[in-house]
């Protein structure tokens, strides 16, 4: 009997021992679960992290943020920059009056820039801040006729006739400026022969000019020199600019003084273009420089800007 009790006691002990082992085993599984949770926690951290914080990693990744660079680029930098290549920036030009024609003290004026007279512009208008670029022209007209196409989309379009310039301006809801509007805006309140003063030394920061030989003899990106006081770029040099008026050699002499909203000559065989270009000598980028050319005469020296 005693031995049976002993055996029974041993059996109970053995059973208890087994239960303890099972409990330990389950706890270990808990360790695995715990490990699983941690690892899941790691996976969660990774997965959540990938999805959320991901975000944490991808965010942090800054790689995707770097992709976020893509976002940033797509949303802010590149797209905006790309838009800027084809979108016209307009500057408001106030109504006012000025003396049009040969500047006081300018000994290099030609006869068709005389006599100077007071011109009154009764309406404000908007003028493109830059000469029309190759990218802007191609986006609207479907082609880029420029001789200096390799200069890039931000360089002024050239090899355009007066008809081409007029068609572009009308397509963007504008028109070519009158000669009076052009000079008034180009002067921006100044009375000197250059908008930066009378000394041609000021042209260095304000105009592309006297580039007549070798690889430098070409157009340059718009707005890469300083603007005038009203925020207009390249009204001196780079390319000469078509305006709306018929050309009349003695037109100035036949106008009243003061002259209100002058429309230009009533007829003619040539249209006016204003100012000089990248190859002009300093005396030919004077703010009053004017010439006439046949309507259908595109060349690599002429471009334009619009008003509305």
């Amino acid at each position: 009997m005693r031995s049976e009790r002993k055996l029974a006691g041993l059996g109970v002990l053995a059973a208890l021992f087994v239960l303890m082992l099972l409990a330990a085993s389950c706890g270990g599984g808990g360790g695995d679960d715990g490990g699983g949770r941690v690892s899941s926690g790691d996976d969660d951290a990774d997965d959540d992290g990938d999805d959320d914080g991901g975000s944490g990693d991808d965010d942090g990744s800054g790689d995707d943020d770097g992709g976020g660079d893509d976002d940033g680029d797509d949303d802010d930098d590149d797209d905006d920059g790309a838009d800027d290549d084809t979108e016209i920036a307009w500057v408001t030009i106030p109504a006012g009056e000025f003396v049009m024609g040969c500047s006081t003290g300018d000994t290099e004026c030609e006869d068709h820039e005389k006599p100077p007279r007071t011109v009154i512009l009764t309406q404000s208008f908007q003028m493109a801040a830059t000469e029309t670029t190759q990218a802007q022209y191609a986006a609207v007209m479907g082609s880029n006729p420029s001789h200096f196409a390799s200069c890039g989309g931000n360089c002024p379009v050239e090899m355009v006739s007066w008809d081409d310039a007029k068609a572009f301006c009308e397509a963007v809801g504008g028109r070519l400026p009158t000669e009076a509007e052009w000079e008034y805006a180009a002067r921006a309140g100044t009375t000197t022969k250059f908008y930066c003063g009378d000394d041609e030394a000021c042209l260095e920061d304000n105009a592309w000019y006297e580039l007549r030989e070798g690889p430098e003899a070409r157009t340059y990106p718009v707005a890469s020199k300083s603007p005038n006081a009203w925020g207009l770029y390249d009204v001196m040099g780079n390319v000469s600019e078509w305006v709306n008026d018929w050309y009349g050699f003695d037109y100035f002499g036949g106008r009243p003084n003061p002259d209100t909203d002058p429309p230009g000559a009533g007829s003619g065989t040539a249209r006016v273009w204003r100012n000089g270009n990248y190859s002009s000598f300093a005396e030919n980028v004077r703010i009053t420089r004017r010439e006439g050319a046949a309507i259908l005469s595109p060349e690599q020296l002429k471009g334009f800007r619009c008003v509305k």
Side-chain angles (χ1 to χ4, degrees):
M1 290 290 296
R2 285 182 183 172
S3 61
E4 287 176 359
R5 285 177 188 163
K6 278 185 184 180
L7 286 173
L10 288 173
V12 170
L13 287 173
L16 288 172
F17 183 73
V18 169
L19 288 173
M20 289 174 63
L21 286 177
L22 287 172
S25 169
C26 287
D32 287 347
D33 272 355
R37 280 189 294 271
V38 170
S39 125
S40 246
D42 283 343
D43 289 334
D44 279 353
D46 285 345
D47 290 346
D48 282 349
D50 287 346
D51 294 341
D52 297 345
S55 318
D57 284 343
D58 289 350
D59 258 356
S61 294
D63 290 10
D64 283 10
D65 265 348
D69 283 355
D70 289 343
D71 281 347
D73 286 344
D74 289 343
D75 295 342
D76 299 329
D77 302 330
D78 290 350
D79 281 354
D80 286 351
D83 289 344
D84 290 344
D85 285 344
T86 56
E87 187 175 330
I88 298 174
W90 299 96
V91 174
T92 299
I93 308 298
E97 68 177 63
F98 73 113
V99 175
M100 183 175 182
C102 186
S103 303
T104 302
D106 186 353
T107 60
E108 294 170 316
C109 290
E110 298 179 20
D111 288 344
H112 64 167
E113 299 171 30
K114 303 172 184 176
R117 71 195 192 284
T118 297
V119 167
I120 300 167
L121 298 178
T122 60
Q123 301 292 322
S124 64
F125 57 96
Q126 291 187 302
M127 177 174 267
T130 70
E131 293 164 333
T132 301
T133 66
Q134 295 181 27
Q136 289 167 347
Y137 190 88
V140 173
M141 306 300 280
S143 64
N144 178 13
S146 300
H147 177 76
F148 296 111
S150 61
C151 178
N154 206 35
C155 291
V157 68
E158 17 83 16
M159 292 301 292
V160 286
S161 68
W162 182 89
D163 280 342
D164 295 331
K166 178 176 181 287
F168 174 91
C169 288
E170 290 176 350
V172 298
R175 57 180 173 82
L176 285 170
T178 66
E179 189 175 7
E181 287 172 334
W182 188 95
E183 186 174 323
Y184 175 64
R187 281 188 176 280
T190 64
T191 59
T192 49
K193 66 179 180 179
F194 309 114
Y195 69 67
C196 52
D198 285 318
D199 187 346
E200 68 182 60
C202 77
L203 293 176
E204 185 64 29
D205 293 330
N206 291 278
W208 294 109
Y209 74 109
E210 288 192 0
L211 300 165
R212 304 179 68 82
E213 296 180 359
E216 291 187 337
R218 60 177 180 85
T219 57
Y220 288 81
V222 299
S224 50
K225 293 284 188 175
S226 298
N228 71 7
W230 288 350
L232 301 176
Y233 295 87
D234 298 308
V235 290
M236 301 185 300
N238 216 356
V239 290
S240 302
E241 299 183 22
W242 288 112
V243 297
N244 187 66
D245 301 29
W246 288 107
Y247 173 74
F249 181 86
D250 57 357
Y251 173 70
F252 281 22
R255 296 298 301 174
N257 190 5
D259 195 358
T260 301
D261 297 324
S267 62
T269 58
R271 294 285 184 173
V272 177
W273 53 266
R274 294 299 304 254
N275 208 256
N277 51 70
Y278 65 86
S279 71
S280 298
F281 292 116
E283 62 266 27
N284 288 329
V285 293
R286 293 174 302 105
I287 216 71
T288 59
R289 169 88 188 284
R290 66 189 294 265
E291 298 291 347
I295 296 173
L296 298 175
S297 62
E299 57 181 86
Q300 65 206 47
L301 305 176
K302 293 187 185 73
F304 66 96
R305 74 181 74 213
C306 306
V307 297
K308 64 177 184 177

